[in-house]
Amino acid sequence: MDSGLQQLALCFIILCRLFQATAEDDDWKIATATLSRDKDGSSSVTTGGACGYGDLRQSSYGGYSAGLSGKLFNRGSSCGACLEVRCVNHIRWCLQGSPSVVVTATDFCPPNSGLSSDYGGWCNFPKEHLELSHAAFTGIAETRAEVIPVQYRRVKCGRRGGLRFSLNGSSHFFQVLISNVGLDGEVVGVKVKGHTTAWIPMARNWGQNWHSSLDLIGQSLSFEVTLIGGKTIASYDVAPPYWRFGMTYQGKQFH
């Protein structure tokens, strides 16, 4: 190959790499982040929370979790979504090399109208803000920081085991909490089926709790779950006819 063709090929490779880097950078969005209240992880980011997952230390979501401002939380539809987060553009607070962590959206960070959006009211609408658990925050920044500039992007959720269906309600009100969701992580549609019924759509009650005014006691239960990306999976006979409220059952997993 002569020198002219070699130079042309080299330029082509460089342009391709620049285009690839630009495309990757475009995936990242700008936000801010703060540390959750307690170092032991006992703040609402890891216990309780507006998504309904309960004590995350007892679930597959572990210590890497985040509460989202109203714009990102989107009335609970973002519950279960996985976000890659990194601290950027702050020499004093960001860890060297800007390492990233992957967190699960598990809570709502409420606004504080009594404070400015630029000082204290980090979760005021329309700010894009994440309140990170201690493990997540210390993976990207110094704990002395009050608020840090970050970049985030949606990523696929890697989960072990199948979807988890936690049953609650009464003879006239049936509710299921769906957790440990892989792939997109964000559930947008749920149907339930007893062994004597057709598929019945359920409505979002709050977070990732879905409900229907049905009496399904004594019937084996199947669930159909749809993610924000459009993929649907059906888990048949997840719960046997002798299921009880307060129990959790496992179904299929998205891949």
Side-chain angles (χ1 to χ4, degrees):
M1 181 183 294
D2 61 38
S3 59
L5 290 176
Q6 288 178 337
Q7 291 179 354
L8 183 61
L10 180 60
C11 289
F12 179 77
I13 293 172
I14 292 174
L15 287 173
C16 287
R17 289 180 177 175
L18 287 174
F19 178 79
Q20 181 181 9
T22 301
E24 290 176 352
D25 289 343
D26 288 343
D27 292 337
W28 295 90
K29 297 181 180 179
I30 298 173
T32 53
T34 48
L35 174 64
S36 63
R37 292 186 298 275
D38 300 324
K39 290 183 179 182
D40 64 0
S42 61
S43 72
S44 62
V45 173
T46 51
T47 56
C51 291
Y53 297 130
D55 190 343
L56 300 183
R57 291 167 295 188
Q58 305 298 321
S59 75
S60 61
Y61 298 149
Y64 287 84
S65 54
L68 306 183
S69 62
K71 185 175 181 179
L72 297 178
F73 190 68
N74 196 22
R75 299 182 179 180
S77 67
S78 295
C79 290
C82 292
L83 306 172
E84 184 179 7
V85 186
R86 64 187 183 188
C87 181
V88 295
N89 301 327
H90 203 298
I91 297 176
R92 184 178 181 184
W93 300 134
C94 296
L95 297 186
Q96 187 174 1
S98 291
S100 66
V101 295
V102 175
V103 298
T104 301
T106 59
D107 200 5
F108 171 60
C109 181
N112 188 338
S113 58
L115 296 175
S116 167
S117 298
D118 297 325
Y119 188 78
W122 311 119
C123 291
N124 293 348
F125 192 85
K127 292 278 290 186
E128 296 193 359
H129 183 83
L130 300 92
E131 184 186 26
L132 299 177
S133 63
H134 186 262
F137 192 94
T138 56
I140 63 173
E142 299 288 344
T143 56
R144 299 189 306 275
E146 182 177 12
V147 60
I148 57 172
V150 298
Q151 292 179 336
Y152 74 94
R153 62 181 175 185
R154 287 289 300 269
V155 294
K156 301 301 182 184
C157 299
R159 305 295 183 204
R160 293 183 178 180
L163 272 63
R164 295 176 185 170
F165 301 90
S166 301
L167 311 182
N168 287 287
S170 66
S171 59
H172 302 291
F173 181 81
F174 179 78
Q175 180 171 286
V176 58
L177 168 66
I178 302 175
S179 61
N180 199 47
V181 183
L183 202 60
D184 299 334
E186 186 176 335
V187 177
V188 296
V190 179
K191 294 180 181 179
V192 62
K193 182 183 185 305
H195 64 251
T196 65
T197 74
W199 285 106
I200 302 168
M202 304 185 74
R204 187 190 302 274
N205 190 292
W206 61 281
Q208 282 300 354
N209 285 282
W210 297 76
H211 78 275
S212 184
S213 300
L214 298 170
D215 181 3
L216 294 172
I217 295 176
Q219 297 196 49
S220 60
L221 302 178
S222 303
F223 292 96
E224 182 183 275
V225 178
T226 300
L227 299 182
I228 191 171
K231 192 167 184 178
T232 298
I233 193 170
S235 297
Y236 291 93
D237 298 324
V238 170
Y242 51 83
W243 62 265
R244 295 290 183 269
F245 291 119
M247 299 184 71
T248 297
Y249 299 90
Q250 185 168 280
K252 293 181 180 180
Q253 181 60 270
F254 290 96
H255 297 287

